[in-house]
């Protein structure tokens, strides 16, 4: 499928109402006709296709190089459209939708037979549904007037795209078009949640709506599995436990160093010194502001990227993580070290989940 012309709709340049609508009408017509169209959401860019159209959904898997037993999230523009996809919506699911939609929460519902292609659900009897907060995403889906299956718009195994440019890097020539709506806001994929038979909300993948936010809104939250990444893998293929996918991986070898800030810095510096002796190209993803005399903070690193301007700033780090991993690939970095200087609560839990996965679970505690 490579070699097709990928159209770029530059929404940012057509913010006036008429120009915007024309662009979105064209993009939505492509979607409705079975095309693959990437679009911005508040989490990351998605690669959309009509969820009812088996051929279009098949093309998503082909364009991404995605394992076909990993189900897709279906995006809708209204709660009524979500109702059309589900057999029934229980009271807790309904309250989740009413509380957090539109927003970065995906709710797993019993699928209504025939509502979407079985390729979307990978043969499960549930479907994951999300109503995004991004106005361009909502408008596009409403105009297309179809349920839109959309995984993150990256090649499988690459970091998710937070800019249209990232989508182009990965999928130019493989998809019909890209709606460029500027930078994604959260920077990490949505929270995926399902409701247990006892009414507790189980987080299968941590994201923009945290367990704390769920609890604060009065939901009973099922205790998280010790390893969120393992929980996501279980959610990815609940009928085939043990299947593991590599996600979000940079080309170089990433190691996360966690512990007290001073110990973390000392440990990373020692690793850089050893790497320098071997002539490896290295990068550090750092939290803290560069200390005075910054030029030689992390001596010998080829690249020093600020994930955030202060330790503990999970929102900024979440927003910058995927672009940082891509920048390291572009600079042909062979070894990456990330300061794991954030608490595993709120958005910090989602950030650490993605960072640890990108590291293939190479985590050092000092
Ligand atoms: O923020 C997001 O969710 C982005 C944007 C584009 O909306 N989309 C996204 O899609 O991250 P994707 O395909 O990369 O991730 C889908 C996740 C996977 O972890 C998958 O296993 C899970 O949702 N999932 C999908 N359907 C499911 C189901 N029926 N039961 C359990 N988990 C499901
Ligand atoms: Mg993805």
């Amino acid at each position: 499928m490579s070699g097709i012309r990928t159209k770029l709709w530059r929404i940012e340049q057509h913010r006036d109402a008429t120009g915007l609508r024309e662009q979105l009408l064209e993009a939505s017509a492509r979607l409705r006709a079975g095309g693959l169209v990437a679009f911005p959401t508040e989490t990351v860019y998605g690669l959309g296709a009509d969820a009812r159209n088996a051929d279009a959904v098949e093309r998503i898997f082909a364009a991404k190089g995605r394992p076909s037993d990993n189900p897709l999230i279906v995006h809708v523009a209204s709660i009524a459209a979500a109702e059309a996809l589900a057999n029934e919506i229980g009271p807790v699911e309904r309250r989740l939708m009413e509380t957090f939609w539109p927003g970065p929460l995906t709710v797993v519902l019993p699928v209504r037979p025939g509502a979407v292609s079985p390729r979307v659900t990978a043969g499960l009897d549930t479907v994951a549904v999300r109503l995004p907060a991004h106005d361009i995403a909502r408008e596009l889906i409403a105009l297309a007037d179809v349920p839109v299956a959309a995984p993150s718009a990256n090649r499988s195994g690459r970091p998710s795209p937070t800019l249209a440019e990232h989508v182009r890097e990965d999928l130019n020539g493989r998809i019909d078009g890209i709606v460029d709506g500027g930078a994604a806001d959260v920077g990490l994929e949505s929270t995926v949640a399902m409701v247990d038979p006892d009414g507790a909300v189980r987080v299968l993948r941590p994201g923009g709506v945290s367990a704390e936010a769920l609890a604060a809104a009065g939901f009973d939250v099922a205790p998280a599995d010790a390893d969120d990444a393992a929980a996501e893998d279980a959610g990815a293929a609940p009928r085939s436990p043990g299947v593991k996918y590599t996600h979000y991986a940079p080309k170089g070898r990433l190691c996360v160093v966690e512990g007290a800030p001073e110990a973390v810095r000392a440990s990373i510096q020692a690793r850089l010194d050893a790497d320098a002796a071997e002539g490896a190209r290295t990068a550090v993803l750092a939290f803290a502001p560069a200390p005075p005399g910054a030029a030689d903070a992390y001596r010998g690193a080829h690249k020093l990227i600020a994930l955030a301007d202060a330790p503990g700033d999970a929102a900024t780090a979440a927003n910058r993580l995927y672009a940082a991993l891509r920048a390291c690939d572009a600079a042909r970095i062979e070894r990456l070290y990330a300061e794991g200087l954030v608490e595993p609560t709120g958005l910090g839990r989602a950030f650490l989940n993605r960072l640890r996965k990108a590291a293939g679970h190479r985590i050092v505690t000092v």
Side-chain angles (χ1 to χ4, degrees):
M1 92 156 49
S2 64
I4 65 177
R5 203 168 148 270
T6 300
K7 164 113 199 191
L8 190 60
W9 292 282
R10 294 183 191 277
I11 299 298
E12 287 298 330
Q13 290 173 9
H14 296 275
R15 272 296 183 178
D16 64 294
T18 334
L20 177 66
R21 201 175 162 78
E22 257 169 41
Q23 303 269 309
L24 288 180
L25 273 173
E26 213 179 284
S28 63
R30 287 285 186 99
L31 268 179
R32 207 173 34 246
L36 295 191
V37 175
F39 60 95
T41 83
E42 75 279 20
T43 58
V44 299
Y45 273 73
L47 177 58
D50 179 350
R52 304 166 315 181
N53 180 330
D55 291 339
V57 173
E58 183 57 41
R59 289 181 61 212
I60 289 183
F61 287 95
K64 281 183 60 90
R66 177 176 173 115
S68 61
D69 58 347
N70 194 4
L72 306 177
I73 294 173
V74 180
H75 297 63
V76 294
S78 66
I79 290 186
E83 282 166 347
L85 302 176
N87 235 347
E88 54 166 328
I89 298 183
V92 181
E93 285 92 340
R94 181 167 297 279
R95 208 154 57 75
L96 280 174
M97 289 158 44
E98 285 167 354
T99 309
F100 293 103
W101 282 6
L105 177 72
T106 295
V107 182
V108 175
L109 300 169
V111 67
R112 182 186 298 236
V116 295
S117 159
R119 298 288 282 122
V120 170
T121 53
L124 300 175
D125 52 11
T126 54
V127 61
V129 186
R130 152 162 148 75
L131 173 47
H134 200 292
D135 57 346
I136 290 172
R138 278 214 311 280
E139 182 79 22
L140 178 74
I141 298 162
L143 287 171
D145 198 24
V146 297
V148 176
S152 48
N154 51 285
R155 291 275 295 170
S156 207
R158 291 265 287 154
S160 293
T162 52
L163 291 171
E165 185 49 36
H166 299 161
V167 181
R168 248 169 54 79
E169 262 170 38
D170 281 16
L171 298 174
N172 193 33
R174 309 178 69 90
I175 63 176
D176 296 290
I178 303 171
V179 177
D180 182 351
D185 182 27
V186 179
L188 299 178
E189 303 84 348
S190 63
T191 301
V192 178
M194 70 186 296
V195 178
D196 283 351
D198 67 356
V201 178
R202 179 169 299 279
V203 173
L204 300 176
R205 176 176 76 180
V209 172
S210 65
E212 289 82 356
L214 289 164
F219 292 93
D220 179 15
V221 182
D225 288 282
D227 183 353
D228 282 328
E232 187 194 344
D233 288 333
R239 297 274 162 84
S240 40
V243 176
K244 300 267 190 247
Y245 299 113
T246 311
H247 274 308
Y248 324 118
K251 289 177 186 147
R253 193 186 69 191
L254 168 64
C255 175
V256 183
V257 184
E258 302 181 2
E262 279 320 309
V264 165
R265 288 184 197 115
S267 168
I268 292 178
Q269 185 61 60
R271 288 159 204 278
L272 290 172
D273 292 343
D275 291 340
E278 294 174 29
R281 287 177 67 79
T282 52
V284 179
L285 312 187
F287 259 86
D296 45 47
Y298 288 127
R299 288 179 314 279
H302 291 77
K303 217 169 168 48
L304 177 54
I305 298 179
L307 278 181
D309 303 324
D313 179 1
T316 307
N319 188 268
R320 294 182 187 169
L321 175 65
Y322 289 146
L325 296 176
R326 283 177 179 266
C328 289
D329 283 353
R332 301 186 324 279
I333 298 297
E334 297 161 301
R335 296 187 194 164
L336 296 72
Y337 301 99
E339 296 180 344
L341 296 179
V342 73
E343 292 299 319
T345 56
L347 197 53
R349 174 175 284 276
F351 167 78
L352 283 173
N353 166 264
R354 303 309 195 279
L355 183 64
R356 290 167 176 169
K357 282 196 129 204
H361 305 285
R362 258 183 307 274
I363 302 155
V364 178
T365 307
V366 293

